[in-house]
Amino acid sequence: MSGIAGIVRFDGGPTEPALVERMTAAMSFRGPDGIRHRVEGAVALGHCLLRTTPESLDEAQPLASDDGRVLLVLDGRVADPVELRRELEGRGVRLRDRSDAELVLRAYELWGPDCLRRFDGDFAFFAWDARSRTALCARDRMGNRPFHYHWRDGVFAFASDLRALHALPWVKRELNEGFLAEALADEWLSREETFWTGIVRLVAAHRMVVGANGSTPERYWSPDLEAPLPARKESDLAEAYLVILTEEVRRASRSHAPVAIEVSGGLDSSALFSLAARLEAKGSFPAPGLEGTTLLIDDGSTADELDYARAVARFVGQPLREVPPTRMPQEWYRERAEAFLDFPGYRNGAMFVDLRREARSRGCRVVVTGEGGDQWLGGERTSYAEALHAGDGPGFLRLLATDARTGGPRRALSNAVRHGLLPVLSPGLGMALRRAARRARRRTEADGTCPWLSARMNSLLLERRQRKSSAARPCVAREGQRLQLEMLDDPFSAHVLEVNERLNASLGLESRSPYLSCAIVQLAFALPERLRRSGERNKLLHVTALEGLLPRLVLDRRSKAEFSPVVRPQLDALEDAFDRAIPEALREWVDPAGLQRLFRTYVEHPTKGGPVWSLSAVLGCSEVGRAAAAALRARDVK
């Protein structure tokens, strides 16, 4: 988990080395193994290094080509460096070392911007071409590595972290109120914007060529909606899926130090732990050790998964280190907002801090998680619509019979109408019902406004909703793919991924998830919904493939952990703050009476998750607001 930063002056003037040094100093936590800089006239680059792979032991960035024409900084790794190395050497390329950065540099030299079609992985990089005086900026397909940038008066600046860009004197600390409205409402709509006016993020699966006339991001990868399944016969599909998942576990575990795998006791993380243990037993695990960790929650609440995790450990024959969840005080979130000038995170994310500190103390530099498993392995009821679209009457009836057997006739009929007849016979009505359901989950008023936002912020929020709803809808072969495309471009998921990435980086760890790999996501788009969900059995293919690899207790599990019990004690202690301090800190942006009603709803219905997370979002935004106010006061003093 490294960090990259840089400045390019397209007006031809030289860039001061001290400026890029200020940028890397602002995110020095990303460089425990060293921080290096390179300045070539108008271009200044910085790299903060965390060595995680064996190949990174040879790494010394920023890199330059043999003739000095191309400069590169990379944060990340190539998914399959052996294959890329073989292709480059087959074309006569002489590699100077075995680092992934060298592979990316040489790939850019050979193929230019099209190099992104030649490799996959978790990465964000910047490549400067002195001959054309242009730069290529790129981010991996799933957005596993961050990339932020700022453009003003012919000067382009970029960095992994917002704080690094704010280290530049010309970058204003002016809050982006439209984005703040989304965050306060806990209704994330924008993927490109940040909390700060003028600072933009490069979106996942996008590249951007930057020149004197500016830049335009463009998408370089989308899932193939017509891709075939990895096996001709459905009976062979589980085995083919297991091969793919095992390979992704192997790729995610490439490290020169022990690898930690977090085991919750759910299907997703347990599968990764089991497959990693199998690889280690066969001598194919690409790391010198495997460390299993789990949260020690044994209070019988909905967050308690300890029995499942222990069952997995016994079945796999690998120990698990049990660490109590971390409960951070409000001051910790305040300090993070000030340190990173960004959303400090949700309470359920912070509970992993001590767990990951334990992994780091064991020598680990990579933590493998099951993040993305729910999104890409789980299924929806859209198999009804798919059967009707295909004219498969018998298939529709089989789905109805399965639902009736597992959930009862009334529920089966409701599913058939809602997820089958309505989407096919009246797509507009089906979409309207989905929008109404989303509004209900967001606890909006009848007119669509958010009750705890001020009138001005509600106006901004409604404007953004309208802009998003007017965007072109993709044409898809199956109804399930429409939902998957929405999930692929979901702003909230992208936001949480970046918050978690930064948390891990601050702890000296690089987080990786096999389920957030291109191969798994592409497979998800190829799978019909009936192969992902049947009746009440979700993640059907995943479960079938794991037969014999996990204990029956976990394979048959239907419950899902819900972590509001960990969060609620922290919220309970902040009742006075929601009455006075927070409305005062956010007086221009929230409606105090509406915020108090939200807290009362939480108190009256503590088991319902919605108010818990909405209050957590407001808390995070209040700390961002404090950080912005502090920055303005400091500027006024100067």
Side-chain angles (χ1 to χ4, degrees):
M1 193 71 66
S2 299
I4 58 176
I7 307 167
V8 181
R9 287 188 58 175
F10 285 99
D11 60 6
T15 296
E16 298 176 32
L19 290 174
V20 75
E21 290 169 7
R22 287 171 63 177
M23 295 178 78
T24 54
M27 54 180 191
S28 59
F29 66 92
R30 291 184 177 272
D33 294 322
I35 297 176
R36 292 165 52 96
H37 307 92
R38 187 181 184 112
V39 181
E40 298 282 350
V43 181
L45 301 178
H47 188 263
C48 305
L49 178 62
L50 170 66
R51 301 186 192 276
T52 58
T53 67
E55 293 79 7
S56 69
L57 299 175
D58 292 346
E59 191 173 290
Q61 295 189 58
L63 281 185
S65 58
D66 292 331
D67 59 7
R69 177 175 66 89
V70 179
L71 303 178
L72 176 131
V73 280
L74 166 78
D75 166 27
R77 64 189 177 91
V78 175
D80 190 352
V82 174
E83 182 178 334
L84 182 57
R85 185 177 297 114
R86 185 183 301 118
E87 185 171 7
L88 289 169
E89 290 177 340
R91 290 176 175 266
V93 175
R94 182 184 63 83
L95 297 170
R96 297 168 298 185
D97 60 50
R98 59 180 182 150
S99 71
D100 288 16
E102 173 75 357
L103 293 175
V104 173
L105 173 68
R106 297 304 190 178
Y108 174 78
E109 280 190 294
L110 189 59
W111 295 299
D114 284 342
C115 67
L116 289 158
R117 304 181 186 277
R118 304 284 182 153
F119 59 84
D120 185 21
D122 301 341
F123 59 79
F125 72 81
F126 172 95
W128 169 254
D129 193 325
R131 186 169 56 189
S132 63
R133 290 194 59 77
T134 61
L136 174 66
C137 310
R139 195 170 175 198
D140 67 75
R141 290 159 172 80
M142 298 300 120
N144 292 310
R145 294 291 182 271
F147 191 102
H148 302 89
Y149 64 94
H150 181 274
W151 176 272
R152 178 185 172 187
D153 298 334
V155 179
F156 178 80
F158 69 92
S160 299
D161 284 307
L162 295 171
R163 184 71 188 228
L165 288 168
H166 280 293
L168 300 174
W170 60 85
V171 176
K172 296 180 179 179
R173 291 191 181 180
E174 179 182 337
L175 274 173
N176 176 354
E177 289 193 333
F179 188 83
L180 181 62
E182 296 179 17
L184 280 168
D186 200 22
E187 186 180 341
W188 307 82
L189 301 169
S190 172
R191 300 176 70 210
E192 298 85 2
E193 296 181 48
T194 69
F195 280 103
W196 306 98
T197 300
I199 299 181
V200 187
R201 58 168 53 86
L202 186 62
V203 174
H206 279 64
R207 68 185 183 187
M208 181 170 64
V209 176
V210 184
N213 295 323
S215 60
T216 303
E218 62 176 358
R219 191 165 203 138
Y220 68 84
W221 175 85
S222 293
D224 182 357
L225 302 185
E226 304 294 335
L229 291 169
R232 290 187 177 183
K233 297 180 180 179
E234 288 189 9
S235 58
D236 298 331
L237 196 54
E239 183 177 350
Y241 165 72
L242 189 62
V243 170
I244 293 171
L245 182 58
T246 301
E247 175 61 11
E248 292 308 314
V249 172
R250 187 190 68 80
R251 291 181 175 188
S253 303
R254 177 166 58 105
S255 177
H256 70 83
V259 168
I261 295 185
E262 293 179 352
V263 183
S264 68
L267 282 166
D268 305 336
S269 60
S270 299
L272 303 182
F273 190 51
S274 176
L275 293 176
R278 288 182 79 198
L279 287 169
E280 188 178 47
K282 294 178 180 177
S284 303
F285 192 64
L290 172 63
E291 293 282 341
T293 62
T294 192
L295 286 176
L296 178 56
I297 304 175
D298 58 354
D299 55 7
S301 71
T302 56
D304 183 353
E305 300 183 278
L306 200 56
D307 287 345
Y308 296 104
R310 287 172 174 171
V312 171
R314 289 192 299 269
F315 190 91
V316 172
Q318 287 271 2
L320 284 179
R321 298 188 179 277
E322 300 174 358
V323 181
T326 312
R327 291 177 169 86
M328 290 297 187
Q330 185 63 20
E331 289 73 20
W332 182 83
Y333 296 93
R334 184 166 303 160
E335 290 168 1
R336 290 186 67 81
E338 292 174 355
F340 304 124
L341 295 176
D342 203 356
F343 192 82
Y346 288 89
R347 267 55 183 171
N348 58 329
M351 69 183 183
F352 291 95
V353 168
D354 286 338
L355 188 75
R356 291 169 187 171
R357 284 174 176 164
E358 172 67 18
R360 192 68 183 86
S361 73
R362 304 292 300 176
C364 299
R365 292 197 161 200
V366 170
V367 56
V368 175
T369 74
E371 197 165 7
D374 286 339
Q375 294 97 310
W376 300 113
L377 302 179
E380 301 290 340
R381 306 280 186 182
T382 53
S383 48
Y384 281 106
E386 291 182 2
L388 290 177
H389 275 300
D392 184 8
F396 183 90
L397 293 175
R398 283 195 297 271
L399 290 169
L400 191 62
T402 301
D403 261 2
R405 188 167 56 251
T406 58
R410 180 176 297 180
R411 186 170 182 179
L413 185 59
S414 173
N415 288 335
V417 172
R418 182 179 176 185
H419 301 288
L421 296 176
L422 281 180
V424 172
L425 300 178
S426 181
L429 178 58
M431 190 175 299
L433 289 173
R434 287 196 293 273
R435 284 199 296 266
R438 284 197 291 267
R439 284 198 299 271
R441 286 195 296 271
R442 289 196 298 258
R443 306 193 62 79
T444 55
E445 302 288 3
D447 61 357
T449 57
C450 177
W452 57 90
L453 290 190
S454 67
R456 181 162 59 90
M457 297 301 271
N458 259 314
S459 178
L460 289 171
L461 181 64
L462 292 172
E463 178 184 307
R464 285 167 169 257
R465 279 188 201 153
Q466 185 175 13
R467 188 193 316 161
K468 176 134 186 174
S469 65
S470 63
R473 299 283 176 179
C475 296
V476 295
R478 299 194 308 270
E479 181 67 19
Q481 289 180 335
R482 188 186 311 280
L483 301 178
Q484 289 174 321
L485 286 172
E486 290 179 1
M487 188 162 53
L488 184 66
D489 293 338
D490 178 48
F492 175 72
S493 298
H495 163 74
V496 170
L497 192 63
E498 288 189 8
V499 170
N500 290 341
E501 183 273 345
R502 187 177 60 238
L503 173 62
N504 290 323
S506 70
L507 298 172
L509 289 168
E510 180 173 300
S511 54
R512 303 175 187 170
S513 175
Y515 301 118
L516 292 176
S517 66
C518 183
I520 294 296
V521 172
Q522 181 59 74
L523 175 61
F525 275 89
L527 281 175
E529 288 299 310
R530 59 184 172 78
L531 298 179
R532 288 144 52 96
R533 183 175 191 126
S534 177
E536 299 304 307
R537 175 73 274 180
N538 205 356
K539 301 183 181 179
L540 183 60
L541 178 64
H542 188 57
V543 172
T544 304
L546 294 172
E547 287 287 344
L549 299 177
L550 289 176
R552 196 77 256 165
L553 179 68
V554 174
L555 287 174
D556 292 340
R557 184 180 178 184
R558 297 292 193 272
S559 62
K560 180 73 180 172
E562 200 278 313
F563 291 107
S564 60
V566 179
V567 176
R568 285 198 295 268
Q570 301 171 58
L571 292 180
D572 292 344
L574 293 170
E575 182 172 2
D576 289 343
F578 278 105
D579 279 342
R580 289 187 291 274
I582 294 174
E584 174 61 24
L586 301 175
R587 59 184 175 275
E588 297 180 12
W589 302 313
V590 302
D591 177 76
L595 187 58
Q596 289 167 5
R597 285 197 303 272
L598 177 65
F599 195 87
R600 298 293 173 266
T601 301
Y602 155 72
V603 171
E604 293 166 7
H605 305 283
T607 59
K608 290 188 176 181
V612 171
W613 309 119
S614 296
L615 289 169
S616 296
V618 172
L619 278 172
C621 290
S622 73
E623 300 306 346
V624 174
R626 289 176 189 272
L632 290 174
R633 286 195 298 270
R635 185 190 66 182
D636 293 341
V637 169
K638 291 180 181 179

